[in-house]
Amino acid sequence: MPSGSFSDPLSTHNRSRDRRSYVNGEMIRGITNGDDAILVGENFIGANDGVGAWAQKPMGHAALWSRLILHFWALEAERDQSVTSAGSSTTEPTPVAYLQKAYEQTIEATSAPNEWKGTTTACGALLHHVQGSAISKPMLYVTNLGDSQVLVLRPDTEAVVYKTTEQWHWFDCPRQLGTNSPDTPKANAVMDKVEAEEGDVVLAMSDGVVDNLWEHEILENVRDSMKQWASGKVDEAMASGTADGKGRMLYVARELVKAARKIAEDPYAESPFMERAVEEGLAMEGG
């Protein structure tokens, strides 16, 4: 820990309070929550679910794998001129290729002399404007590998526009990227194009949400939270500092996580995970 005063030489205080992580000279994008990583950018959103079992293994660090893959994925998208061009482009982005490069860069970053081991699922949605005959159309390029989920909702019509399909090797073992896994983005990732409209809500979620809430519950929770925000009936702490317009979705996300956590902590609750376990002949209760 750095000194709490300046009694030590000043050189010891250089960046001593800066605990942000860097790789290849770049500050790592996104944030980590447990073994999971999330990232929200101007035109990209992603959620990677690090496999927690690696915490019990020597040099296991699933959180690092999930965060680095998401970081490199976002960087690859930023480097593509078809994505970053100010105008619409007739060239389509290739998010699976970006993810493949991110996967390869993560292998390199976690190899000797570091040797960090781990695996992670990956899902993300990239917004791109496709040039049409007269006007450009917003298009979501949704990519998934594993059992995390991207859900596109249209709250004004209370409709689920799109959701990704989970990928499994077997029950409770999703496709995943990393140490010892045979899966790769090039071979196993699935990319779909989804036409978007103004007002659509795009969610990127780990199984911490989708194992505990059914699709209709997620839709209802998001709809109700948006109505609550619009009514102004939110506490001042939540509403403060949100002049940039991001406060509404932050509130929606927090309310969704609260609902999922409530089920996860209830040993008697019915949940999607419990339902799937029963279908596999396993006696499980709760979220």
Side-chain angles (χ1 to χ4, degrees), residues 75-211:
L75 280 184
E76 287 301 318
E78 291 174 14
R79 291 177 180 138
D80 193 321
Q81 289 298 311
S82 70
V83 176
T84 58
S85 175
S88 300
S89 172
T90 56
T91 304
E92 291 191 302
T94 55
V96 172
Y98 307 154
L99 182 57
Q100 178 67 33
K101 291 181 181 178
Y103 168 63
E104 293 168 358
Q105 290 175 81
T106 301
I107 291 176
E108 182 178 355
T110 56
S111 298
N114 301 308
E115 298 290 349
W116 292 109
K117 301 177 181 179
T119 51
T120 181
T121 66
C123 73
L126 178 66
L127 179 63
H128 177 66
H129 287 79
V130 179
Q131 185 64 51
S133 57
I135 59 174
S136 63
K137 299 185 298 183
M139 187 77 71
L140 289 168
Y141 290 71
V142 181
T143 307
N144 183 57
L145 189 149
D147 65 345
S148 293
Q149 188 176 106
V150 171
L151 202 62
V152 182
L153 308 178
R154 198 155 287 160
D156 58 347
T157 59
E158 300 189 10
V160 175
V161 177
Y162 169 86
K163 76 169 182 176
T164 50
T165 300
E166 297 171 331
Q167 297 178 316
W168 301 80
H169 287 287
W170 54 81
F171 175 69
D172 211 23
C173 181
R175 289 197 180 277
Q176 53 202 271
L177 301 174
T179 311
N180 299 334
S181 175
D183 304 320
T184 67
K186 184 177 180 180
N188 304 110
V190 175
M191 194 277 287
D192 293 319
K193 293 189 290 185
V194 184
E195 289 190 18
E197 294 182 4
E198 185 175 354
D200 285 354
V201 175
V202 182
L203 304 174
M205 305 169 289
S206 75
D207 60 4
V209 175
V210 299
D211 275 355

